[in-house]
Amino acid sequence: MEFSSNQPIYLQVATWLEQQILEGKYPIGHKIPGVRDLAVHLIVSTRTVQNAVNQLVTSGLIITKRGQGNFVTEDATKIDNIKLNKKMRITQEYINEIMHVAQAQEIPDLVANAMKEYEGARARRNNVTG
Amino acid sequence: MLQVNNLHYTKSRHVILRGLSFKIPTHRTVALLGENGVGKTTLMRLISGIIEPNPHSDIMIDGIMGAKIKAHLSYVSTLDWANNYDRVSDIVDYFKMGYPDFNEKRMNELIKFMRIDRTRRIAKLSTGTIEKLLIALTISRDTSVYLLDEPFGGVDVIARKKIMQSLLHWLPEEATVLISTHYIQEIENLVDDAIILKDGRLLAYESVEKIRKEEGLSLEKYYTQLYIEDNGGRE
């Protein structure tokens, strides 16, 4: 895993772990690997991994069962909410970014153009492969 | 816990360490950084009791001072003491006999993980394998403090990864660990804090996450910046 230099590593590990869970690598209610195993896998300190896990315990995605380890929550609505929040956060970041370079009234046109290009690229890709 | 108070060291009138003080709590892994010749190896040799500091310098492990601290720290910097005909298995036997806290099970796991051939003569081992064996021997003891002097020097990228994974997997959780290295970028995610030495003194002792959070810098950039600042802006 590549880490960016300016954000705390534990937050980057938390984002990675959250993504693993949301993608279903560790399904609902399942046990996630121990802190030390994750540390060896990612080559980061166990303290960093523990901080990342704590972050996801706070957000409710991970449940700690005493003496048994860490598990993905069994609450499906919780996972759906976290997915939705994540989408909204990414949308917000995207909006902030274009607001930074464009006037508010230009944005719908910019988005429409970007979507057109995206669809075009996808169609071209499908033509090549199919 | 490893505590160093007012550590001075002079060698043939040349001042190497000038009043170094720091305290590393248990369950903490710390990088020891600084340019060549700054005294990183000297500091490790002083802590381990191989050389003597100037008077009025204190080194303590869990409140213990003097020659007794040797039993509470693990430091294996060389295999030069081994005989030419010794094999890896002989070295393991010496450690088993010499250290009551030697954890043979851990050593066996490490030898397997690092793919070290027990039957090879020490004299025939590559630099990388010697380094791996030194690490395995160091962390196979059950002690409070572990000193690792440039564990990534002269080893290829795959061996480096194995060494890092070994440290993460096999070092006891409550250990106090001091690792000197020039591989700042590689060590950054492995350690909790960094001690930066310059001109025989402590330039900084800071948490790596705090450096990222408050300075927005990687450890390597922070290190370079501190060195330049201390030189009055010159590289």
Side-chain angles (χ1 to χ4, degrees):
Chain A
M1 182 178 176
E2 292 283 322
F3 296 101
S4 80
S5 65
N6 52 2
Q7 200 192 17
I9 304 287
Y10 81 94
L11 287 180
Q12 298 182 53
V13 173
T15 307
W16 173 83
L17 191 54
E18 185 186 75
Q19 192 58 31
Q20 298 285 303
I21 294 169
L22 296 183
E23 281 172 8
K25 173 117 194 274
Y26 307 118
I28 194 161
H30 276 63
K31 192 175 177 173
I32 63 166
V35 167
R36 201 173 270 246
D37 289 339
L38 286 172
V40 172
H41 176 66
L42 296 169
I43 315 194
V44 298
S45 75
T46 48
R47 177 170 277 108
T48 298
V49 174
Q50 188 60 60
N51 287 342
V53 169
N54 291 348
Q55 184 90 3
L56 299 190
V57 169
T58 309
S59 73
L61 193 57
I62 289 177
I63 308 281
T64 299
K65 293 184 186 170
R66 199 164 270 281
Q68 293 182 56
N70 298 314
F71 294 79
V72 178
T73 177
E74 287 167 18
D75 185 350
T77 21
K78 186 113 224 171
I79 294 187
D80 288 342
N81 280 339
I82 289 171
K83 273 187 188 165
L84 185 64
N85 278 338
K86 190 163 186 169
K87 275 182 203 158
M88 282 168 67
R89 199 175 65 232
I90 291 169
T91 310
Q92 193 56 52
E93 278 167 15
Y94 176 64
I95 290 172
N96 290 346
E97 200 138 304
I98 38 183
M99 287 297 273
H100 205 72
V101 293
Q103 302 287 332
Q105 67 271 20
E106 298 171 349
I107 289 170
D109 285 344
L110 288 172
V111 173
N113 280 339
M115 288 302 287
K116 217 189 278 170
E117 260 176 47
Y118 172 77
E119 292 296 337
R122 199 160 68 168
R124 275 197 301 281
R125 209 166 45 234
N126 286 345
N127 276 341
V128 171
T129 53
Chain B
M1 185 184 72
L2 169 66
Q3 195 171 350
V4 164
N5 276 331
N6 194 32
L7 185 64
H8 286 264
Y9 183 69
T10 313
K11 193 186 174 188
S12 3
R13 291 214 199 147
H14 185 63
V15 180
I16 298 178
L17 296 178
R18 45 189 93 222
L20 212 55
S21 300
F22 59 82
K23 191 160 81 182
I24 308 176
T26 52
H27 192 185
R28 212 83 196 161
T29 301
V30 180
L32 178 62
L33 310 176
E35 60 196 342
N36 285 325
V38 79
K40 299 190 294 292
T41 300
T42 302
L43 175 59
M44 294 211 168
R45 289 164 65 85
L46 284 164
I47 294 170
S48 62
I50 296 171
I51 50 176
E52 288 271 321
N54 297 5
H56 312 298
S57 305
D58 288 340
I59 298 166
M60 267 188 282
I61 291 177
D62 301 337
I64 299 162
M65 288 171 79
K68 276 195 230 152
I69 67 170
K70 282 189 190 180
H72 298 267
L73 71 87
S74 187
Y75 176 55
V76 192
S77 59
T78 171
L79 290 175
D80 289 352
W81 47 268
N83 301 308
N84 254 345
Y85 48 80
D86 278 336
R87 297 175 191 276
V88 171
S89 55
D90 295 321
I91 303 293
V92 175
D93 285 342
Y94 296 154
F95 267 70
K96 227 161 79 185
M97 286 186 286
Y99 297 106
D101 57 16
F102 189 68
N103 187 326
E104 200 183 353
K105 181 173 167 278
R106 193 183 299 155
M107 186 69 196
N108 290 338
E109 290 171 1
L110 280 159
I111 283 182
K112 199 174 157 206
F113 178 75
M114 290 179 165
R115 299 211 184 100
I116 302 172
D117 181 356
R118 287 170 177 281
T119 63
R120 282 294 281 266
R121 286 186 201 281
I122 297 302
K124 301 264 184 200
L125 296 180
S126 68
T127 316
T129 308
I130 296 254
E131 200 52 66
K132 284 190 208 164
L133 183 57
L134 289 173
I135 308 287
L137 290 166
T138 307
I139 64 181
S140 284
R141 288 183 55 202
D142 281 313
T143 58
S144 303
V145 173
Y146 296 83
L147 306 176
L148 297 156
D149 193 3
E150 190 51 278
F152 315 122
V155 304
D156 64 76
V157 62
I158 294 165
R160 209 180 299 152
K161 190 176 163 193
K162 284 238 162 205
I163 290 171
M164 289 182 181
Q165 290 179 316
S166 302
L167 298 178
L168 288 166
H169 192 280
W170 280 283
L171 270 172
E173 188 156 345
E174 56 303 337
T176 303
V177 188
L178 186 62
I179 310 175
S180 84
T181 189
H182 288 293
Y183 294 85
I184 306 181
Q185 224 183 324
E186 285 87 344
I187 197 92
E188 159 154 36
N189 301 335
L190 240 65
V191 297
D192 303 308
D193 315 292
I195 286 178
I196 302 176
L197 300 183
K198 190 172 182 291
D199 304 327
R201 64 201 161 80
L202 191 82
L203 195 56
Y205 182 7
E206 196 56 88
S207 137
V208 175
E209 287 288 30
K210 203 173 156 201
I211 294 169
R212 281 175 178 265
K213 216 174 202 166
E214 291 178 10
E215 314 275 336
L217 294 173
S218 68
L219 182 56
E220 191 166 33
K221 284 189 182 141
Y222 178 75
Y223 171 86
T224 311
Q225 190 171 306
L226 278 189
Y227 253 76
I228 293 173
E229 267 171 29
D230 197 70
N231 281 340
R234 291 183 309 275
E235 287 222 18

